[in-house]
Structures are given as structure tokens and as C-alpha cells.
Amino acid sequence: MSSTKFTEVNPTAQNHRIPLNDGNSIPLIGLGTYSTLRTTPKDACYNAVKVAIDVGYRHFDGAWVYGNEHEVGRAIQEKVADGTVSRDDIYYCGKLWNTCHPPEMVRPTLEKSLGLLKFDYIDLYIIELPLAFKPGDEIYPRDENGKYLYHPTDLCATWEALEACKDAGLVKSIGVSNFNRRQLEQILNKSGLKYKPAVNQVECHPYLTQPKLREFCNLHGIVIVGYSPLGTCRDPLWVNTKIPSLLEDPVLNSVAAKYKKTSAQVALRYQIQRKIVVIPKSFNSERIKQNFEIFDFSLTDEEMKAIDALNRNERYVELLIWKDHPEYPFSDDY
Ligand code: NDP
């Protein structure tokens, strides 16, 4: 599968790429790889990526800050070495962390990820959050009172540094994550803009369908990558558990029963049918496989509408600890 080939007909397990605005393409499903390091056994991510490649996944969503990029890279290297895939079949998305926004830090930070992954390039690099933190060794810098230490944010300057990484061939596509409309417009209206963001990775699932942001992104040719497509792991340390569990939703479960599928498969199918990329995380072999089995059924228009109607405009991932950051993205309507 070349990086520019995409499917113009129904997505299949073998070809489910959709076009990006820069001439590249992105697979509609990828494996999420975030898992709390504290409680995740060593090599769980490595094993999951290997299983996923055998199942048919070609897209992996990671980040330097997840602390397991070396495991993702090692799994991919091994699957390339044993002939299962070639590097070009694989699509990897990495992320620029908040403490690395100053333009001069962008390329060295990307190169750090390339080193961990043992890649010459990555397919997509995105600004993880529009929130600059104080640069330094601390991932979550705080003062002696526990207050987070922020840094003046200049999203356009950071964006220009990403553009330079694309020009240098270190990354094929560039994008953003957790940007609201105003922040996207800042980039889109930047004088001398060379590349538009190819994607905006945001929380998206049947309880947060993002109708307004989706319309705005469609208008500008920006693909939405939906994170937490299954409603997260519900870890109360970072998840808003006041929202009920997505996978227990009665509508999703009744549609699932009709197709002899699970609510997770229906939630994922709903998104890819409306051209939203999904990146479900699982480190469990059965569920990795299950989440990929979404190309052998389709939802009717009525079912799509019934799932649209589940939208509550509420987030599992609110990031309220950073609500006082001047660029906190979720106070705006969208
Ligand atoms: P998901 O919505 O993907 O849910 C993951 C949870 O669901 C895990 O606990 C997993 O457990 C479980 N699970 C997976 N498959 C099934 C299934 N078929 N049935 C029941 N349970 C299932 O949550 P995430 O928040 O992890 O989001 C996915 C990815 O998005 C992340 O891993 C990360 O790559 C990215 N992300 C990006 C963010 C950003 O700011 N840009 C923020 C948050 C996430 P198990 O592993 O045991 O199967």
C-alpha cells in the first residue's frame, strides 16, 4: 500500500485509507498506544503492536510522552524484519509534547522520537495540545506549591517549525490535536502559511460527535482523528467518570445485537462510516482483533441517525487541571 493510495469506495480491511489535504493518506483505523506506565507491564505495548500488525492494523498512534515509543518501534522493526510488512505499509503518528513548543526544540524533539522508534521518518507529527509548558526535564513542570508552570504559547511559531520538519523529510504530514476552532483559524490565517494542518486529533465518539468542529474541519479539508473512540479506560485519575460508560449504551448494544457485533464495534463502525479516523487502544489480543472487525457490516442511515442522537457534547477527557492555561481549548463552544 503506497502512502498516497486511498480508497474511493467502501473501506476494506486491506484498504481503508482516506486522503489528507497534502496528497498523503491515512488509514481509518489505528491502534492507540496510551496506557498508564505505572500499571502497564513492560512489553505490553510491544506485544500489542505485533498482534495488531498480524491482525491487519497498519496505523499506530503514539507519543513520546506515553513513554513506550521504543516498544512500538521495536515491534514494527521486528515485523518488517520478518517480512510481514514493509516500513512503508506502516503509518505512525507521533506527538510534540507541551514542554517542547519553542520552535528551536521541535526538530530535536521529533528526532528523539525517530531515535526511539528507529525510523528515518514518521508519517504524521502533531502538536499534542495547544498548551505550552515550561521547557525542561520535567514533563509536568510545577512550582513548589504544585502549580503548573506554563510558557508563553505561540502556536504559529511552533507550526512553522513543524513545516520545516516536513520540508526536511522527517515527517510526511503535520497536524494538531485538541485545537479548537479559534486555534485552527490562527494557523489557517497565518501569513505565509505553507501547509494546512492535515488532521486535528480530538476526542470523538457517540457521546461527543463534534458536529460543529467536524463541519469546520471538513470545510478546510482537515481530517478528524477521533481519540478515546470507546469512551476511554475510565481511569478516575484523568477521566470524567460522571459520564456513563459508552460501551454500555443501550442504543449501541441494540444495534450491535442486530449485527451480532459488540457495542465497541458499532461505535467504531459509526465513526469510519462518517470518515472519522478511529484509534482504539487495546493491549488485549482478543479485543485488538475485535476492534478491527468493522469492515464486514455497515450501519443504515437510520442507525447512523440514532447514534448521532446520542451526542451529549460532554468530554471524558476534560483536562481541567490545565483550565487556567490561557490557551485551554475546551472553554470555547468548539
Ligand atoms: P479508548 O476509547 O480507545 O478505550 C481504551 C479502553 O477500552 C482500554 O481500557 C481498553 O482496555 C478498553 N477496550 C479496548 N477495546 C475494547 C473492547 N472491544 N471492548 C471493551 N473494552 C475495550 O481510549 P483511549 O483514551 O486510550 O484513546 C485511544 C487512543 O487515543 C490512546 O491510546 C491514544 O493513542 C490516543 N489519545 C490521544 C489523546 C490526545 O490528547 N491527542 C488523548 C487520549 C487518547 P484493554 O487494553 O484491556 O483492551
Side-chain angles (χ1 to χ4, degrees):
M1 238 190 291
S2 109
S3 65
T4 51
K5 262 210 194 120
F6 57 86
T7 176
E8 290 181 61
V9 287
N10 281 338
T12 64
Q14 289 72 34
N15 188 1
H16 46 268
R17 284 182 176 248
I18 56 166
L20 296 173
N21 61 26
D22 60 3
N24 294 321
S25 61
I26 184 170
L28 271 170
I29 182 167
L31 184 78
T33 62
Y34 172 73
S35 184
T36 314
L37 277 182
R38 220 174 355 95
T39 50
T40 306
K42 186 175 164 295
D43 283 347
C45 176
Y46 159 79
N47 288 319
V49 172
K50 284 182 75 170
V51 167
I53 291 176
D54 286 338
V55 162
Y57 289 75
R58 294 295 177 262
H59 171 183
F60 298 90
D61 182 80
W64 171 80
V65 79
Y66 298 171
N68 56 12
E69 265 188 330
H70 59 292
E71 292 194 22
V72 177
R74 183 156 55 95
I76 294 172
Q77 297 302 332
E78 285 183 20
K79 283 290 163 190
V80 170
D82 77 8
T84 311
V85 285
S86 70
R87 166 64 185 93
D88 287 349
D89 294 329
I90 299 292
Y91 192 92
Y92 180 76
C93 170
K95 307 191 186 88
L96 180 80
W97 180 239
N98 303 0
T99 50
C100 311
H101 277 210
E104 67 281 7
M105 291 184 72
V106 171
R107 181 169 175 157
T109 305
L110 169 57
E111 284 171 335
K112 203 155 46 170
S113 281
L114 291 173
L116 289 167
L117 292 155
K118 298 200 170 64
F119 288 167
D120 303 327
Y121 68 90
I122 60 174
D123 301 274
L124 175 63
Y125 200 49
I126 61 183
I127 303 176
E128 191 155 351
L129 284 154
L131 311 174
F133 288 2
K134 181 175 175 281
D137 293 337
E138 293 295 322
I139 293 178
Y140 301 103
R142 299 191 207 208
D143 68 13
E144 57 284 3
N145 302 313
K147 191 181 169 342
Y148 285 101
L149 294 169
Y150 301 143
H151 196 65
T153 305
D154 182 349
L155 296 175
C156 289
T158 306
W159 184 253
E160 285 169 6
L162 256 74
E163 291 182 326
C165 291
K166 178 169 156 78
D167 284 337
L170 299 179
V171 53
K172 297 215 188 261
S173 298
I174 52 177
V176 297
S177 177
N178 295 301
F179 274 40
N180 63 28
R181 175 192 175 139
R182 184 184 58 77
Q183 292 159 338
L184 285 172
E185 279 179 333
Q186 252 186 62
I187 307 282
L188 292 169
N189 298 334
K190 188 185 89 62
S191 78
L193 180 74
K194 198 156 183 193
Y195 306 114
K196 288 206 264 186
V199 309
N200 186 17
Q201 183 179 121
V202 293
E203 181 178 340
C204 195
H205 44 70
Y207 285 172
L208 182 71
T209 58
Q210 304 269 20
K212 293 181 185 169
L213 189 63
R214 179 173 176 240
E215 196 185 331
F216 179 82
C217 286
N218 279 346
L219 199 66
H220 293 277
I222 300 169
V223 165
I224 291 198
V225 177
Y227 73 65
S228 305
L230 304 175
T232 78
C233 60
R234 300 185 69 77
D235 177 347
L237 277 180
W238 60 276
V239 173
N240 169 14
T241 49
K242 290 196 287 285
I243 311 179
S245 160
L246 179 69
L247 299 184
E248 285 170 24
D249 183 86
V251 172
L252 293 181
N253 278 286
S254 85
V255 174
K258 173 179 159 191
Y259 294 105
K260 297 195 168 48
K261 289 284 178 182
T262 64
S263 56
Q265 290 168 320
V266 171
L268 298 173
R269 177 74 205 184
Y270 163 74
Q271 294 287 43
I272 65 163
Q273 227 167 287
R274 55 186 210 130
K275 301 278 185 287
I276 289 189
V277 175
V278 285
I279 46 171
K281 175 264 170 182
S282 180
F283 287 175
N284 169 284
S285 302
E286 285 309 309
R287 291 189 285 276
I288 291 171
K289 187 163 177 291
Q290 181 196 126
N291 294 343
F292 196 72
E293 289 171 345
I294 55 173
F295 298 104
D296 56 355
F297 75 115
S298 61
L299 303 172
T300 64
D301 290 348
E302 289 69 34
E303 287 159 351
M304 289 296 286
K305 282 196 193 109
I307 300 174
D308 282 338
L310 298 178
N311 184 29
R312 311 161 56 111
N313 285 319
E314 285 180 312
R315 295 173 191 280
Y316 287 109
V317 186
E318 298 178 295
L319 306 177
L320 291 175
I321 46 172
W322 301 321
K323 201 171 183 343
D324 61 342
H325 192 292
E327 288 289 344
Y328 177 77
F330 307 141
S331 303
D332 294 21
D333 179 25
Y334 70 102

